Amino acid sequence: MAESTQSSVVVQAAPEAVLDIIADFDGYPEWTQFKSATVVAEDADGWPEQVEFVLDAGPIKDTYTLSYDWDVVEDGTGTVSWTLVKASLLKTLDGTYTLTAEGAGTKVDYQLKVDVSLPMLGVLKRKAESIIIDTALKGLKKRAEA
């Protein structure tokens, strides 16, 4: 993913517990900047395939739908990736969580690329990505370790 922002955190919880939090879209308003997250479609295995979000992340506010790919194994390790399906303001919102077992915990790598339809300096786009990533990782860690 070119021109993306990335960060990581180690969460003191098993990968499957972290994955369960990531897959619990109804709970997103409790630990993210999303006002709501609604599963629109599921795949044959019951994983959310399309999710509609209402986002309020500082300079970026939008309602959009993401398509998800769940490339994970039974212990919760692997990748969860998404791409933008439709939005009003956003042109691109592609990202990946990579979950790796690390000791008794989980290393979560988060990579994100954001682009908006309005003219915006690259540095502001990267700042928006950083805000989204930092908020998500801190919220995920806090929720998983509670």
Side-chain angles (χ1 to χ4, degrees):
M1 197 180 297
E3 296 182 39
S4 62
T5 301
Q6 58 187 23
S7 188
S8 62
V9 68
V10 175
V11 177
Q12 297 307 312
E16 65 187 52
V18 175
L19 181 63
D20 286 346
I21 293 168
I22 292 169
D24 177 20
F25 291 102
D26 289 339
Y28 272 41
E30 298 171 21
W31 63 275
T32 68
Q33 294 173 315
F34 296 109
K35 290 185 176 183
S36 67
T38 306
V39 175
V40 178
E42 294 181 343
D43 67 16
D45 295 323
W47 289 103
E49 189 173 57
Q50 287 199 354
V51 181
E52 181 183 80
F53 293 91
V54 177
L55 174 68
D56 186 355
I60 298 178
K61 295 174 177 38
D62 201 1
T63 298
Y64 58 87
T65 302
L66 298 179
S67 176
Y68 279 83
D69 181 35
W70 303 84
D71 188 12
V72 293
V73 294
E74 209 169 295
D75 71 355
T77 58
T79 61
V80 178
S81 56
W82 56 91
T83 57
L84 184 66
V85 175
K86 67 178 179 176
S88 343
L89 173 66
L90 296 167
K91 285 185 359 184
T92 304
L93 185 63
D94 299 340
T96 303
Y97 280 121
T98 302
L99 305 172
T100 310
E102 187 165 297
T106 306
K107 182 178 180 194
V108 181
D109 292 302
Y110 187 173
Q111 189 171 6
L112 185 68
K113 180 176 174 131
V114 175
D115 197 8
V116 293
S117 56
L118 303 172
M120 184 183 280
L121 294 174
V123 68
L124 293 177
K125 290 178 194 173
R126 302 295 84 79
K127 180 66 175 170
E129 290 169 352
S130 291
I131 290 169
I132 294 167
I133 288 172
D134 290 345
T135 301
L137 289 178
K138 286 176 186 171
L140 179 60
K141 181 176 177 67
K142 183 177 180 180
R143 189 162 180 90
E145 293 178 353

